[in-house]
Amino acid sequence: MAGWQQLFWDNTLVSQQSAGSQEEGNSRHQFALTQQTQDGESTQIEVVLDVQLQWQPFVLDYTVTANGSPLAEGQRTTKDIEQQTPYTPPPKPQKFSLVGLASLGFKLLKSAKVIKVALAGASVAAYSWLFSFEFALALIACLMFHEYGHIRAMKYFGMKTKGIYLIPFMGGLALSDEKINTRWQDVVISIMGPTFGLFMSLLCMALYWLTGEIFFAGLATFNALLNLFNLLPILPLDGGHILKSISFSMNSVAGLLACVAGAAIGVFVSYTFGLALLGFLLLIGSLEIVFEWRTRHYSHLLPLDRYGQIFSTVWYLLTVAALVGVIWYFAGTGDDLLGLPLKILQS
């Protein structure tokens, strides 16, 4: 089963039912297969797939018959969906284009290990130019720790990883050779980076309290700013993937309205506390989610259940609040450099 109502046999669509938000209960897919006999004749095999589907929590019971004879039966749960290989359409030949050239360049980027070293060196040089060599190395360590959070989440779901790439002035990128199957995987993989980043900022804060070194204070607040930026609800940032997974798992207009209302409250709070940039980007990201919401039925990703939606939302909001709290705390010390991240949010 791909999406909500499509059935594929050997990567070929053989049965399809209309998409909708209430496709739950009993359903039947019927299709015919052609079998070649040893003497060269063709015979038709009538196949029937009966499905009993429950969304909350997700359980799919199925039976398959061929020409009226039982063939297979079983059950699929969320864990089964997480471990399966996603359907990948066969590539279509494309004419030369800038998009194709960019795609080829990205594939070369993923396969060339020497590029990792070159990008890491460029990142050190870029951050050394902005701050100092020592601070640049520490900041690179924070970025690596953030991306390691993504890698750990990928490995938790049994996915093969390609490693971490550092991009000057943009942060880092954790890559995998495999695709995800569920919205829950998307949420966990996306949010574990900022969560690891939050842990790093809290560790630096503790070291600042123990030693009094301003170096650790600067590292804590700028690392918090980078991770907070990653949580903005704008694709392809981590926050965009999280908000998209939550909102696209809501199977009713009421769910979308609740998501929009929550975003509106976030915008109001941002402007109330003078975080103009954060509020503006939150508004833009929310509008992007609304525009893409109509296509949610055609995704192959298994949606979050109600518990997953609530848990993901709370996890996201607590992480954002904690990162803002770190920035706010160090801005209150009166140091101009430590107050810079808060001024950026207020700009």
Side-chain angles (χ1 to χ4, degrees), residues 21-146:
S21 61
Q22 303 301 326
E23 296 296 329
E24 187 174 51
N26 296 318
S27 61
R28 170 169 287 190
H29 292 268
Q30 295 177 288
F31 60 99
L33 298 176
T34 302
Q35 183 183 40
Q36 296 289 338
T37 61
Q38 293 181 352
D39 55 6
E41 296 183 357
S42 298
T43 59
Q44 292 281 75
I45 301 177
E46 299 295 329
V47 183
V48 176
L49 171 66
D50 288 306
V51 175
Q52 173 67 36
L53 177 62
Q54 172 184 296
W55 282 113
Q56 306 287 347
F58 176 80
V59 177
L60 186 147
D61 295 294
Y62 66 90
T63 57
V64 184
T65 59
N67 290 337
S69 300
L71 188 64
E73 63 180 359
Q75 185 181 85
R76 307 294 298 280
T77 63
T78 302
K79 290 296 182 182
D80 298 317
I81 301 299
E82 288 178 353
Q83 296 172 2
Q84 74 180 15
T85 301
Y87 164 70
T88 303
K92 298 180 180 179
Q94 296 180 348
K95 297 181 180 179
F96 175 80
S97 64
L98 292 177
V99 176
L101 188 61
S103 177
L104 177 61
F106 186 69
K107 290 180 180 179
L108 292 175
L109 175 66
K110 291 172 63 177
S111 61
K113 293 184 178 180
V114 68
I115 299 297
K116 292 183 181 180
V117 179
L119 288 175
S123 296
V124 172
Y127 297 129
S128 298
W129 177 70
L130 283 178
F131 305 105
S132 66
F133 179 72
E134 293 80 5
F135 192 83
L137 291 179
L139 195 56
I140 291 296
C142 290
L143 291 174
M144 292 291 291
F145 198 67
H146 170 104

Side-chain angles (χ1 to χ4, degrees), residues 171-187:
L173 186 64
L175 298 178
S176 171
D177 279 333
E178 301 181 21
K179 294 182 178 180
I180 58 175
N181 297 305
T182 68
R183 297 286 185 191
W184 174 243
Q185 288 176 308
D186 196 17
V187 168

Side-chain angles (χ1 to χ4, degrees), residues 196-219:
F196 269 54
L198 172 62
F199 293 157
M200 177 62 77
S201 283
L202 294 178
L203 175 61
C204 292
M205 180 184 290
L207 291 174
Y208 168 69
W209 289 339
L210 292 174
T211 64
E213 290 289 338
I214 196 68
F215 176 86
F216 293 116
L219 196 58

